[in-house]
Amino acid sequence: MEQGERAMVEQRGPAEADVVVAGGGPAGVVLAYLLTRAGLRVVLLEAQKDFNRRFRGDTLAPAVLDYLDELGLADEILRTIPHATARTFEWHTPKKTYTIARYDKTSTKHPYYALIPQALFLPHVVELAAAHPGFTVRMRAKVNKLLHDGTGRVCGVRYVDEEGRHEVRARLVVAADGRNSKVRVLAGARTTELGASLDLLWREFPRRDGDPALSGLQLFGHRLGTIAVLNQVDRWQIGFTIEAGSFPRLRSGGPGAVAEALKASLPWLGDRVDAVEDLGEFTLLPVRITTVDRWYRPGVLLIGDAAHVISPVGGNGINFAICDAAETANQVAGVLLDGGPDADLDAACEQVEQRRRPPVQVEQERQVRIERKSAGRIRAGLDSPAPPLRLIAAVKPLARLFGSLGARSVLAPAAPADVIRRGGGRPA
């Protein structure tokens, strides 16, 4: 920044912190909570006015619920936040229901997926963080520059909000600002698209008394694609999976084909579907599966979708994000609390990538395979699951095994370090 420009910067809130977290999604919010709980000074910057994002995955895996339980959070979250639970994963066709996965052997205490709307989960975790004196959150705060010291190391950020421009210096900047990460671009990280074969059409519909109690882990097969139904307490989010690039063709034919598919699969939506006049009322979400060359540069670490875009197929993006946050907190909290040298902080951040990249890579490769096969079945106009899945559904022990393997693909988050578990602080 030029000297004349510096005079224009307004300082608001803390000008210094141990960590700046950019992005208030699951990775950023959980990381901010964990580090603040450990006794660090954390500034969380969220670009939007609230945490009510549309069309975010809500499925917390059994291992993630167990992790939250280790922190003493799971019981309160499950008691106070409206949610649904899924002990099975089902695929419905007009003729048959296939129970493809059973989760009763995935956890002693939480043998299910909890579908907790992020619009409720994220502010709840922020409130928990705010109970600690080191936490600050700034909404509508958009990072537009990384600050560097004399050696070129990142040492903070500049951000803009409704009141002007501000700077906050920190030993570590964490990019948790999603698939279109601004911080990732500013850090010069290179991304690679691994290829995606599907797109998603999303639309909300009001939820009414008498609607079925769907958990969200049900798919409804149709020859045009598969349909997911997410319970958002007072509304439904409908996700229609279509072949990548097919939306213009579908839209040119009007809403009829998609509307008929929804009514055939979800007849109880009835007149709510009839109100759709144009497919432009749906939000098109191109599915992306993206990897980044390196998650870490001196002073800045990428996690969550900023480091690896996970396909929404399977709904595991939130779980991988929380696992990233757990590993990051474990690796960096002690170094920052002790005032360790930059070399130790660098090594801690590199450990995050070394530990988290392998399971992410396995999941992404699996998703690429699943999407290619799914796109082929959509092209063929098939509404049932693939033959191996039908076999699994036919044999209950196989469905139980498949459920356990699927839940374990997330891997359990790293157990919280002692300083996080007990709620720590800086040494006297």
Side-chain angles (χ1 to χ4, degrees):
M1 183 186 303
E2 299 297 331
Q3 185 173 1
E5 187 182 8
R6 182 179 298 277
M8 299 169 59
V9 174
E10 302 172 23
Q11 293 295 351
R12 174 172 172 256
E16 293 186 356
D18 297 303
V19 180
V20 171
V21 179
V29 164
V30 172
L31 175 63
Y33 165 75
L34 294 172
L35 294 179
T36 305
R37 174 171 167 151
L40 292 164
R41 298 168 301 160
V42 180
V43 175
L44 174 65
L45 302 176
E46 168 52 43
Q48 304 300 321
K49 66 178 181 179
D50 56 37
F51 299 101
N52 188 12
R53 299 304 170 275
R54 300 177 69 196
F55 315 131
R56 276 180 160 175
D58 302 326
T59 51
L60 294 184
V64 170
L65 293 172
D66 288 345
Y67 173 75
L68 295 174
D69 198 49
E70 288 189 73
L71 295 168
L73 304 180
D75 287 345
E76 180 192 7
I77 288 172
L78 295 173
R79 183 179 66 253
T80 60
I81 300 180
H83 65 281
T85 59
R87 296 177 181 270
T88 60
F89 171 67
E90 298 175 342
W91 185 306
H92 301 271
T93 72
K95 296 181 178 179
K96 188 172 182 179
T97 293
Y98 301 87
T99 300
I100 293 172
R102 299 178 183 272
Y103 303 118
D104 49 319
K105 298 296 183 181
T106 55
S107 166
T108 301
K109 186 173 181 180
H110 307 103
Y112 51 80
Y113 278 76
L115 288 94
I116 302 177
Q118 286 194 37
L120 302 177
F121 174 73
L122 296 178
H124 182 89
V125 178
V126 167
E127 286 184 13
L128 293 174
H132 299 273
F135 179 71
T136 302
V137 59
R138 296 295 180 222
M139 306 302 291
R140 291 180 174 171
K142 299 180 180 180
V143 174
N144 64 5
K145 184 176 182 179
L146 295 177
L147 307 178
H148 297 81
D149 64 16
T151 69
R153 183 184 188 86
V154 172
C155 63
V157 301
R158 180 209 288 167
Y159 68 93
V160 179
D161 64 13
E162 294 176 314
E163 297 183 12
R165 289 181 294 177
H166 320 277
E167 289 183 1
V168 55
R169 303 271 169 171
R171 289 201 62 193
L172 180 63
V173 174
V174 178
D177 49 343
R179 60 165 54 194
N180 298 312
S181 170
K182 176 68 172 180
V183 176
R184 182 180 65 214
V185 173
L186 294 172
R190 296 189 303 273
T191 60
T192 300
E193 298 285 345
L194 300 182
S197 306
L198 301 174
D199 287 340
L200 279 171
L201 295 179
W202 286 99
R203 194 184 190 282
E204 292 183 347
F205 292 93
R207 190 165 179 264
R208 296 176 181 169
D209 293 340
D211 285 351
L214 299 175
S215 70
L217 283 190
Q218 293 102 350
L219 281 181
F220 294 82
H222 189 274
R223 60 180 182 79
L224 289 181
T226 55
I227 301 166
V229 185
L230 305 183
N231 182 347
Q232 299 292 296
V233 183
D234 61 345
R235 63 194 187 280
W236 297 106
Q237 286 186 354
I238 306 296
F240 201 127
T241 302
I242 60 175
E243 187 179 1
S246 65
F247 180 66
R249 173 177 53 81
L250 287 173
R251 186 175 185 182
S252 67
V258 171
E260 289 305 314
L262 290 174
K263 290 171 67 175
S265 300
L266 311 169
W268 46 272
L269 272 179
D271 59 334
R272 285 164 280 181
V273 175
D274 290 335
V276 176
E277 296 182 352
D278 189 283
L279 284 189
E281 297 174 29
F282 286 78
T283 297
L284 175 64
L285 176 64
V287 173
R288 293 171 57 194
I289 304 175
T290 304
T291 187
V292 175
D293 60 340
R294 290 175 55 213
W295 296 12
Y296 182 66
R297 308 290 196 277
V300 59
L301 173 67
L302 315 180
I303 65 172
D305 276 359
H308 50 76
V309 177
I310 298 289
S311 165
V313 173
N316 272 329
I318 183 174
N319 296 302
F320 276 83
I322 292 174
C323 288
D324 285 358
E327 189 64 55
T328 301
N330 280 0
Q331 294 295 332
V332 308
V335 176
L336 293 170
L337 286 167
D338 294 342
D342 288 342
D344 289 353
L345 182 58
D346 292 344
C349 290
E350 289 169 356
Q351 274 293 304
V352 174
E353 180 172 359
Q354 289 180 19
R355 291 174 180 270
R356 291 297 305 145
R357 184 184 281 273
V360 167
Q361 183 174 335
V362 169
E363 175 68 6
Q364 289 182 319
E365 291 172 350
R366 184 180 75 92
Q367 289 183 332
V368 169
R369 292 193 301 269
I370 290 173
E371 286 201 13
R372 286 174 180 167
K373 292 177 181 177
S374 297
R377 295 185 67 77
I378 292 173
R379 283 194 299 272
L382 302 174
D383 61 8
S384 61
L389 297 180
R390 297 203 297 271
L391 173 61
I392 288 170
V395 183
K396 194 170 183 178
L398 285 180
R400 185 173 290 117
L401 175 62
F402 190 69
S404 296
L405 292 175
R408 289 175 192 159
S409 71
V410 175
L411 297 183
D418 287 343
V419 70
I420 297 170
R421 188 191 305 274
R422 68 173 182 263
R426 297 180 184 280

